[in-house]
Amino acid sequence: AAWRAALSRRIASAADAGQGGALLQGLITGDRRGFSDSTWQTLRATGTSHLVAISGLHIGLAAGVGLFIGAGLWRILRLPGRRQPAALVGGLVAAAGYAALAGFAIPTQRALIMYCVAAIATLLARRPGPAQALLVAALVVLVTDPAAAHAPGFWLSFSAVALILTLSRGQRPGVTGLLRLQLGLTVGLAPLSMLFFGGWSPAGLFVNLVAIPLFSMLIVPLAFLAAAL
């Protein structure tokens, strides 16, 4: 916790004093105390609050980078054995490291456990379904922290993944499938959003179609690079 706080202060001192620096702190260390009221209002109005809460999207990106680095090190260092275990370990280290940076928030726990289930199954040559991995993640989170059931993040995180798994079943990749998925998420999570936060943003359907790729392919990777430098 002390190391996270020191890193957050270092990012704040290196970045500008406005909301850009606060966004970097939030994306890297999960420290969103610098967000102004107007920033929170904008995020809620556009349905993009989930993009600044370190979750499965961010852990998945970190794991992908770790997989690539692990496979690269296996090739460069000519490590013994197969490439796959080295890549999976690299992904695990990166995903666990980012989850630790976020203080092991519930969404990061869920994403990290699901990755571990998938990695172990791959090494054992088994193929558990995504729903099984999601249920295992929910079980582990609740066993280690029963109070998590009272957190909005628990219900929003697991409900979002369950919706994605349900809506993606039998769908072909493409613009139509993406629109259907985004519509299903926006409408499906509306009851929970109204219950926990007293509001719902239909605008999120359209804004997220631009915001999610922008964060995934540009903002989060550059934030990682900036923090490393």
Side-chain angles (χ1 to χ4, degrees):
W3 184 76
R4 285 179 61 221
L7 178 60
S8 182
R9 289 194 300 268
R10 190 174 180 85
I11 292 172
S13 65
D16 64 85
Q19 291 303 285
L23 178 63
L24 280 177
Q25 288 176 273
L27 288 176
I28 298 300
T29 65
D31 181 2
R32 296 182 291 276
R33 292 174 297 176
F35 284 22
S36 65
D37 290 340
S38 61
T39 296
W40 282 119
Q41 288 176 353
T42 301
L43 292 171
R44 284 193 290 267
T46 55
T48 52
S49 299
H50 64 98
L51 292 175
V52 297
I54 300 176
S55 60
L57 171 66
H58 309 80
I59 298 297
L61 289 171
V65 172
L67 285 167
F68 178 77
I69 293 175
L73 289 175
W74 177 86
R75 186 180 298 108
I76 294 171
L77 300 177
R78 298 181 180 180
L79 298 174
R82 297 178 298 143
R83 179 178 61 179
Q84 190 180 62
L88 290 173
V89 169
L92 176 60
V93 170
Y98 198 9
L101 269 178
F104 289 108
I106 291 174
T108 63
Q109 290 182 43
R110 185 261 306 159
L112 181 60
I113 294 167
M114 288 187 71
Y115 175 84
C116 290
V117 171
I120 293 171
T122 301
L123 291 175
L124 297 177
R126 296 180 179 273
R127 292 186 179 181
Q132 289 177 298
L134 183 64
L135 289 173
V136 169
L139 176 64
V140 173
V141 169
L142 290 175
V143 166
T144 55
D145 182 15
H150 296 283
F154 175 86
W155 296 102
L156 288 168
S157 176
F158 282 94
S159 297
V161 177
L163 276 172
I164 291 173
L165 296 178
T166 302
L167 296 169
S168 301
R169 191 175 300 162
Q171 294 292 333
R172 294 181 178 179
V175 177
T176 304
L178 182 62
L179 288 171
R180 187 180 291 111
L181 177 62
Q182 187 59 52
L183 176 62
L185 282 172
T186 303
V187 176
L189 294 177
L192 288 176
S193 297
M194 289 187 286
L195 174 65
F196 292 126
F197 307 117
W200 171 58
S201 174
L205 171 62
F206 306 102
V207 176
N208 278 290
L209 291 175
V210 177
I212 290 177
L214 182 64
F215 267 71
S216 302
M217 295 185 288
L218 186 65
I219 295 177
V220 172
L222 289 180
F224 272 135
L225 180 61
L229 293 175

